[in-house]
């Protein structure tokens, strides 16, 4: 608890330009949680280097992501948006927690198996211990809740196990985090392989709508979106491409999938694609304008980075010092 509010932690990796999936599935909902919780939203850049990044591009993606958090509506004066790499306590706690995590537990993580298969030429130790760093992120801020997609539930379970194990030895040091069970965001799939999720690191640019795509690009990508030969606007698993378009339209307009199906009854895929493009453009335009405005204000963004780094470090160091004391590290002479 901070000032009577429960603490919420989440983050995104700066692994590329954000997609519509990141926005509708996560960021849009994060904004709605800002009043109810004391939120810490990290730019998870230490996680990002488990996959090779081009330094110049990576630096830009870091800043763009932080600006997007603010442009989307997270008030950086009330909540905390910060770079994970600016708070060394993440790395320090991660090391300590790795001594409370078993190899067998990490071996069971499905995301490691998936990412190792995808990046067979770079199966580094960081990819393997990624869940321990994620546990440190969450536990440093004594988070009560963590909004996670289904793909991250296993990591959150492990975080809880590590925290309970540590508390079992040393007393109540960590708050045991719960998955956030409010309204979850839409799951958006690839426009080219609609059985896979839309991903910012997808190599095919036509598979994803990027948040900064201009209207012509958005229209073109939806025109090329994979559908099927059923010629029916139905919401069912057998038609993953059409189902995905309905999900996107519904998430952008606030309608239910059933209402969307009724609206397009008897119409063709072309009409659906045009309407989806328009709905997406309408959602992204104000966001893009705000990003453009904030990007020009270097002094403001720099001041936010400094302030929020300090805020994050204050809470993180409090937990870290407690942990260091519990395990028996000698106190620093000040
Ligand atoms: N397609 C999606 N639909 C709904 N939600 C999504 N998220 C990601 N893709 C979709 C949510 O966005 C947040 C960002 O998570 P992340 O940056 O830590 O990485 P990720 O989940 O692995 O996202 P990407 O875009 O697929 O990144 P890469 O390509 O780097 O692996 C999370 O809350 C996630 O659920």
């Amino acid at each position: 608890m901070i000032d009577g509010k429960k603490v919420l932690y989440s983050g995104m990796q700066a692994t590329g330009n954000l997609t519509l999936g990141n926005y509708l599935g996560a960021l849009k909902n994060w904004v709605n949680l800002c009043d109810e919780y004391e939120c810490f939203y990290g730019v998870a850049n230490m996680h990002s280097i488990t996959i090779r990044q081009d330094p110049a591009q990576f630096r830009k993606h870091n800043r763009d992501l932080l600006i997007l958090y603010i442009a989307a509506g997270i008030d950086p004066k009330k909540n905390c948006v910060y770079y994970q790499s600016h708070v060394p306590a993440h790395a320090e706690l991660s090391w300590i927690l790795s001594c409370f995590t078993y190899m067998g537990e990490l071996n069971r993580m499905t995301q490691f198996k998936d990412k190792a298969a995808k990046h067979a030429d770079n199966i580094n130790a960081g990819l393997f211990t990624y869940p321990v760093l994620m546990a440190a992120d969450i536990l440093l801020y004594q988070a009560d809740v963590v909004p996670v997609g289904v793909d991250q539930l296993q990591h959150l379970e492990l975080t809880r196990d590590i925290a309970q194990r540590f508390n079992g030895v040393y007393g109540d040091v960590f708050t045991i985090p719960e998955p956030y069970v409010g309204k979850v965001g839409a799951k958006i799939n690839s426009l080219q392989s609609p059985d896979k999720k839309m991903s910012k690191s997808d190599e095919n640019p036509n598979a994803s709508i990027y948040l900064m795509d201009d209207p012509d690009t958005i229209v073109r990508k939806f025109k090329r979106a994979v559908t099927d030969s059923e010629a029916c606007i139905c919401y069912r698993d057998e038609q993953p491409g059409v189902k995905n378009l309905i999900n996107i339209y519904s998430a952008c307009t606030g309608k239910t999938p059933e209402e969307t199906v009724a609206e397009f009854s008897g119409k063709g895929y072309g009409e659906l694609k045009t309407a989806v493009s328009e709905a997406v453009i309408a959602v992204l335009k104000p966001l893009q304008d705000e990003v453009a405005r904030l990007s020009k204000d270097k002094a403001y963004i720099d001041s936010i980075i400094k302030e929020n780094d300090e805020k994050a470090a204050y809470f993180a160091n409090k937990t870290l010092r407690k942990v260091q004391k519990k395990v028996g590290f000698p106190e620093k002479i000040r």
Side-chain angles (χ1 to χ4, degrees), residues 9-16 41-53 55 57-66 69 81-88 90-91 130 133 137 200 305 309:
Y9 190 91
S10 201
M12 280 195 202
Q13 298 189 71
T15 38
Y41 291 126
V43 170
N45 52 10
M46 289 164 66
H47 284 96
S48 313
I49 61 164
T50 52
I51 308 295
R52 286 281 177 273
Q53 305 294 333
Q57 255 192 355
F58 182 43
R59 203 168 289 119
K60 182 174 182 314
H61 287 148
N62 273 263
R63 194 167 175 99
D64 289 350
L65 182 51
L66 193 110
Y69 283 179
V81 290
Y82 74 102
Y83 294 133
Q84 183 187 30
S85 63
H86 283 187
V87 183
H90 286 261
Y130 181 112
L133 179 58
D137 300 340
K200 53 178 131 56
I305 292 173
D309 276 358

Side-chain angles (χ1 to χ4, degrees), residues 10-27 30 44 47-48 51 53 65 69 111 115 118-119 130 147-152 185-190 196-202:
S10 201
M12 280 195 202
Q13 298 189 71
T15 38
N17 295 317
L18 252 63
T19 71
L20 189 65
N22 298 129
Y23 183 67
L24 297 175
L27 190 51
W30 288 5
H47 284 96
S48 313
I51 308 295
Q53 305 294 333
L65 182 51
Y69 283 179
Q111 193 187 73
K115 291 214 168 170
K118 220 167 141 187
H119 304 277
Y130 181 112
V148 280
V150 192
D151 51 331
Q152 291 293 333
K187 165 128 193 291
I188 307 301
N189 283 349
S190 154
K196 279 191 343 199
K197 79 165 183 165
M198 187 180 282
S199 235
K200 53 178 131 56
S201 58
D202 198 314

